[in-house]
Amino acid sequence: MSTPRKATPPGIKHAPLELEHFLPYRLSILSNTVSQGIADDYQQRYDLSMTEWRVMAVLARFEGLSAREVADRTAMDKVAVSRALARLVEAGRVSRHMADNDKRRSVLDLTEDGWAIHDVVAPMARAREQALLDKLDEDERQWLVRILDKLQER
Amino acid sequence: MSTPRKATPPGIKHAPLELEHFLPYRLSILSNTVSQGIADDYQQRYDLSMTEWRVMAVLARFEGLSAREVADRTAMDKVAVSRALARLVEAGRVSRHMADNDKRRSVLDLTEDGWAIHDVVAPMARAREQALLDKLDEDERQWLVRILDKLQER
DNA sequence: TGCAGTTGGTTTCAAATGTAACTATAAAGA
DNA sequence: TCTTTATAGTTACATTTGAAACCAACTGCA
């Protein structure tokens, strides 16, 4: 154990990644920081998880979705959605009733309580986004949108 | 339950977030897609988790770090690092010995096996990054770096 | 010295998450 | 119609993750 078993051949350099310039890493750090920041605004206050908030946000935007459609729109998997919905319905923040044309399908909506929370949290989320965008000038904001569009293509 | 308890005042619109244009959401989707893509390259093949790979990547770049320093550099918490290291050491991919000036502190390095894995995975990660960057033209790439720098300020 | 506070790191326990199996309904084909 | 296959959603189990408690070693200071 104390003697090196084989010296690294002199010519080989290993070329480690420079994480601080590595795009996937930078994206990950940035994304986590931002999402966590927003979550800090509502988590304790409303006992609301990030996934629950995402479900609420999409139901605010599109009323009457099924669980499956929520999953599609949030890029969450259906089990996660099912669990988030169980808590939200239990807490009286989302109403669920059966679609009359298809008894498997649920029809989901925010309740009044759900809307009340939404109407507090959504502006806070927007404010966080704005704080981020404020670091950029107008040119940069436009490039950012264009760049994100291209990176997400396909 | 069947009678609405209070009608939503007619003037109030609720202003839901448009997730598809909401920056934090877009960043999250993009980041997860990219990181998961890279992870697909090594997870099954080397039985290596994403956190383990991150630890290896940072040890490739900076030899002899302590666990604490790894945590700082990866923005992971120390419990996650501790667990990743336990597996990596067990698997013979990282060596750990005690710092002689401070017996709490560990001195961590990739082993030969660790380097061998690194030297396969790092180029794959770089290739993924390149595939992403290939979607942009030179202008856009430069703006992206600049924008990320500004977004991460402070 | 010797005590109080801090730091590096691991362990423990609870909560979150993912995978696969399962139930119920619906749709499609013979 | 009867049988097969697909879909919506939940449940069960195993794994991962995070928070807090914990232990050991170090530091500062009386």
Side-chain angles (χ1 to χ4, degrees), chain B residues 105-119:
Chain B
R105 210 173 185 100
S106 52
V107 176
L108 301 162
D109 287 290
L110 293 182
T111 61
E112 264 187 60
D113 282 3
W115 278 113
I117 292 172
H118 171 273
D119 290 350

Side-chain angles (χ1 to χ4, degrees), chain A residues 149-154, chain B residues 33 135:
Chain A
D149 285 343
K150 290 182 92 170
L151 289 180
Q152 289 187 312
E153 260 167 26
R154 128 148 248 64
Chain B
T33 307
K135 297 179 173 182

Side-chain angles (χ1 to χ4, degrees), chain B residues 19-80:
Chain B
L19 288 191
E20 62 277 31
H21 297 131
F22 186 58
L23 180 56
Y25 179 73
R26 298 193 69 181
L27 284 176
S28 166
I29 298 285
L30 177 61
S31 169
N32 288 344
T33 307
V34 173
S35 289
Q36 192 51 56
I38 296 175
D40 288 346
D41 286 340
Y42 59 73
Q43 293 215 119
Q44 347 72 311
R45 185 161 168 190
Y46 294 109
D47 184 28
L48 191 65
S49 73
M50 225 158 87
T51 55
E52 283 162 38
W53 166 246
R54 282 206 177 165
V55 168
M56 288 185 65
V58 75
L59 288 179
R61 184 83 196 296
F62 306 97
E63 304 185 45
L65 294 184
S66 69
R68 174 100 215 306
E69 291 166 328
V70 170
D72 289 346
R73 296 213 170 256
T74 52
M76 294 164 55
D77 84 63
K78 64 180 189 163
V79 177

Side-chain angles (χ1 to χ4, degrees), chain B residues 67-68 78 82-83 96 104 106:
Chain B
R68 174 100 215 306
K78 64 180 189 163
S82 170
R83 286 197 266 239
R96 165 159 55 187
R104 293 168 309 179
S106 52

Side-chain angles (χ1 to χ4, degrees), chain A residues 1 4 14 22 27 30 36 42-43 48 52 56 68 76 78 90 92 109 128 136 141 147:
Chain A
M1 272 302 147
H14 289 312
F22 185 58
L27 285 175
L30 178 61
Q36 192 52 57
Y42 58 75
Q43 293 215 122
L48 190 66
E52 284 162 36
M56 289 185 63
R68 173 101 215 305
M76 293 164 56
K78 63 178 187 166
E90 168 64 28
D109 286 290
R128 290 273 186 177
L136 305 180
R141 280 193 281 267
I147 289 166

